[in-house]
Amino acid sequence: MTGPTCEATADLITLPGTPLADAVMNLVRPVETPSVFNHSIRSYLFARLVAGRLGLVVGHDYQDDLLFAACAMHDLGVASDGPHNQRFEVEGADRAAAFLIDRGLPAIDADQVWQAIALHTSPGIAERRGTLCVLVREGVALDFGGPIGADHVDAVTDEQADAVHTAYPRLDMIRSLTDAIVAQAAKDPKNAPRYTIPGEFLRERETFGRTRLEHACRSSRWGN
């Protein structure tokens, strides 16, 4: 691979490299499984592709640092060092917002990230809470390959997908992430309210041995 193609691939998988992005990486990498960590980074890379497809301009329509922070920390609620005393989306959102405030970010920015993380499993709501919520939801959904939203699956070419997955392999992500969500949900009834993602994942695993999402993802674009 040489010339423009190599440059395009490098641009596709390049992370922000700012002090905030580096701090976020240092926070999440040690406390998430490699599979969940890679999923979080792929969600950011896919979210940027969605932003381009929607005609959104970085620095004008959204802040890249906030998009990276929200995507990279969106599963912080299942981190190994967490308190695990509320549903994982809210726990992750609380931890992410507190981290950003401690880093000196304005409360309004931290709140945007909070909403994007807390609502990333809430289709029909996230899409009405601003650009950051939309991009995080779509980036996460795109990494599932279709079963939790297929609006932008065709925004990624096979070549782009190969580059992203080579840099950040899937490592049986669906099972790894589901295992982490179910384990967190099982620790406290407050973590698994009925008709929420953690609540239904826990009950489906207990009843059927696997979740409907795990079954659906077998035939998704990425397969796992």
Side-chain angles (χ1 to χ4, degrees):
M1 187 186 304
T2 58
T5 302
C6 184
E7 291 176 5
T9 299
D11 289 343
L12 174 67
I13 63 174
T14 297
L15 304 183
T18 62
L20 176 61
D22 290 345
V24 169
M25 292 279 278
N26 290 336
L27 172 70
V28 299
R29 192 192 293 272
V31 297
E32 293 183 348
T33 66
S35 178
V36 173
F37 173 80
N38 284 1
H39 159 63
S40 298
I41 302 304
R42 288 195 309 270
S43 296
Y44 163 73
L45 299 176
F46 287 147
R48 286 197 310 197
L49 291 174
V50 172
R53 187 185 209 203
L54 296 175
L56 301 174
V57 178
V58 64
H60 180 268
D61 299 303
Y62 69 96
Q63 296 182 47
D64 192 45
D65 255 6
L66 296 187
L67 179 61
F68 180 79
C71 288
M73 294 191 287
H74 84 270
D75 281 327
L76 193 55
V78 299
S80 59
D81 65 338
H84 300 164
N85 57 13
Q86 55 187 327
R87 55 185 287 188
F88 85 96
E89 306 98 316
V90 176
E91 182 165 308
D94 284 351
R95 290 191 66 182
F99 173 80
L100 296 177
I101 292 293
D102 287 345
R103 297 286 303 180
L105 267 71
I108 190 170
D109 290 345
D111 185 62
Q112 285 188 59
V113 172
W114 189 96
Q115 290 191 60
I117 294 174
L119 296 174
H120 81 269
T121 63
S122 300
I125 300 176
E127 294 85 350
R128 297 187 179 211
R129 299 307 303 160
T131 300
L132 189 63
C133 285
V134 169
L135 292 179
V136 172
R137 166 73 189 171
E138 295 298 337
V140 171
L142 212 164
D143 195 45
F144 279 82
I148 65 170
D151 290 347
H152 298 288
V153 170
D154 60 349
V156 181
T157 67
D158 290 341
E159 292 77 13
Q160 290 171 327
D162 288 346
V164 170
H165 288 132
T166 296
Y168 298 97
R170 298 192 69 79
L171 306 177
D172 198 17
M173 182 274 288
I174 303 300
R175 173 163 289 278
S176 178
L177 179 57
T178 305
D179 285 348
I181 293 172
V182 168
Q184 197 267 6
K187 291 182 178 179
D188 190 315
K190 296 192 299 295
N191 298 356
R194 287 304 302 262
Y195 311 117
T196 64
I197 287 291
E200 294 311 293
F201 277 13
L202 177 61
R203 289 166 181 82
E204 288 171 3
R205 275 284 189 88
E206 290 175 340
T207 303
F208 306 112
R210 66 178 178 178
T211 65
R212 288 177 291 178
L213 181 63
E214 288 173 285
H215 177 73
C217 283
R218 289 187 172 186
S219 57
S220 72
R221 182 173 177 187
W222 317 131
N224 63 358

